[in-house]
Amino acid sequence: MAAGRAGGGTRTVVIGGVPVGLLQDDLLADILTIHFQRSYNHGGDVRQVTFPTRCPGVAFVTFEDPEVVERVLKKDQHLLQDQRLPRPFPLTVTRYCHNAFLWVSCTLSLAVFRDHLSLEDLLEEMQKQNPGLSFGALQPDGQIVVQGSFPELRVLREFLVLKAKSLPEEPQREGKPQQRARRKLQELRGVAEMRNSTRDAQREKQVLVLDTDIYHYVMCFPPRALQGNDVVISGVTDGDITTVSIESAASKAGVLQGLKAKKTIENYSVELQKMLRKERICLKEHGRAEKQRYKQLCRKLKPQYPKVLIIPCDTHIDLVGPSADVFGFTEEVKRHSRDPWEESWDTWQSKTHLKCA
């Protein structure tokens, strides 16, 4: 998930497709600054460029004037061009306030299509059908890095699966040793399936993959359709990705409940993908006492922003929630963290209520 303290809420855009590994990060940040200050890119004065971020190939650009954001978003295509870059790189520009869970990076191998299709033509077709995705350079071995949101990557996956199914099957000639080996493998698979069916006779499992922060948000704020279902939901997290398991009874009704729960979570995650925003409060430079004060401040602000999920860590605090709520929450944290810490909570709360009134 793209997250970073870009600041400026309504003055900030998210930039995807920034080339990684070709130039030094500060040099790329300067090239981005120049690009978004040029008038023919509909740009204006740039206050800050945040690059690199936690998500490879993603940067945040904050303008001095919020009206520049609207102009930049209206431009049909942004091409990052500079004599120090080997070629122009297409950029995707999105409003920071409305999309936070934008980018997942994965490496695809197109080598299976090499004997049947031109990989360059296939890549061009993929780019036309998936304009919201960012594609890296096609490597000689057929691998390519693709970045984008979970829903968009899912559409690309379905496209490639259909493409692979349409390929002509190649006849396989097997001698007797290969036939015996294949029969042995089938027997072993049969034994394994029998063991698995015995072990899982009581439970049925559905699996899907989610952005880790969206998974935490789903678990904290589950949709109503999940309430009352006889399913057990658990997750195994690996960095920004969480593999979610949905277990239900092995009966017909249980299987239907599990499938329904999986579909509900998938649809809910797509909605959250569009509406959630994430902010990070960095605590690396603070001592233990200051870290505790920040965490206490977030807990006291929580009742005013019930839809914000607070994820405290030792080096930072992540805030996940609707765009307006997270923006308001972080602005309150910034404002009150500048106030003297000796000010009592009751005095601060009364000031807040008076201001809101």
Side-chain angles (χ1 to χ4, degrees), residues 14-225:
V14 182
I15 311 300
V18 181
V20 178
L22 298 180
L23 299 173
Q24 293 182 350
D25 294 337
D26 56 349
L27 193 55
L28 272 172
D30 290 342
I31 293 174
L32 285 169
T33 301
I34 294 170
H35 174 90
F36 286 101
Q37 283 181 335
R38 286 175 172 161
S39 58
Y40 63 77
N41 290 324
H42 301 180
D45 291 338
V46 174
R47 171 179 290 188
Q48 179 184 357
V49 172
T50 305
F51 182 82
T53 61
R54 277 205 312 150
C55 196
V58 175
F60 299 110
V61 176
T62 302
F63 297 98
E64 295 287 352
D65 186 350
E67 292 183 2
V68 179
V69 171
E70 304 304 324
R71 298 203 305 263
V72 165
L73 291 171
K74 288 178 181 178
K75 183 173 173 59
D76 292 334
Q77 186 180 36
H78 284 271
L79 282 177
L80 189 65
Q81 302 182 71
D82 190 275
Q83 61 182 1
R84 291 161 289 187
L85 292 172
R87 60 178 178 84
F89 287 85
L91 302 176
T92 57
V93 182
T94 355
R95 194 186 304 274
Y96 178 63
C97 292
H98 297 318
N99 293 287
F101 301 87
L102 293 175
W103 295 92
V104 176
S105 181
C106 66
T107 301
L108 299 179
S109 176
L110 304 180
V112 67
F113 300 100
R114 190 187 300 278
D115 295 335
H116 306 278
L117 302 169
S118 163
L119 296 190
E120 288 75 15
D121 291 344
L122 176 61
L123 176 57
E124 185 177 349
E125 187 178 358
M126 291 161 57
Q127 290 172 329
K128 286 182 179 179
Q129 293 203 9
N130 302 272
L133 295 177
S134 175
F135 294 85
L138 182 62
Q139 302 301 315
D141 60 357
Q143 290 195 345
I144 184 170
V145 175
V146 184
Q147 297 174 333
S149 68
F150 270 107
E152 290 169 329
L153 287 172
R154 187 181 298 124
V155 171
L156 175 62
R157 175 184 177 276
E158 293 171 355
F159 165 76
L160 290 176
V161 168
L162 290 175
K163 204 77 171 175
K165 287 181 178 179
S166 67
L167 297 178
E169 294 185 4
E170 297 181 358
Q172 297 181 353
R173 296 180 179 179
E174 295 181 338
K176 290 184 178 179
Q178 287 86 354
Q179 291 175 350
R180 287 196 295 270
R182 198 169 92 174
R183 282 198 299 269
K184 186 65 176 176
L185 181 59
Q186 289 173 344
E187 291 172 3
L188 291 173
R189 283 177 178 170
V191 172
E193 287 172 1
M194 289 178 62
R195 289 175 178 171
N196 288 338
S197 63
T198 302
R199 183 176 65 244
D200 298 335
Q202 304 301 320
R203 305 294 291 175
E204 182 75 17
K205 183 184 291 186
Q206 308 292 332
V207 177
L208 70 155
V209 178
L210 294 179
D211 177 284
T212 294
D213 293 306
I214 286 185
Y215 165 72
H216 288 311
Y217 200 87
V218 170
M219 299 304 291
C220 187
F221 303 99
R224 290 184 179 180

Side-chain angles (χ1 to χ4, degrees), residues 239-262:
D240 289 341
I241 304 296
T242 294
T243 302
V244 183
S245 296
I246 304 168
E247 294 189 17
S248 59
S251 63
K252 183 177 180 180
V255 172
L256 290 175
Q257 274 196 333
L259 290 171
K260 182 179 178 182
K262 179 182 178 182

Side-chain angles (χ1 to χ4, degrees), residues 305-321:
Y305 300 92
K307 289 297 182 181
V308 173
L309 173 63
I310 302 172
I311 307 176
C313 301
D314 185 53
T315 58
H316 60 271
I317 300 173
D318 284 338
L319 306 173
V320 181

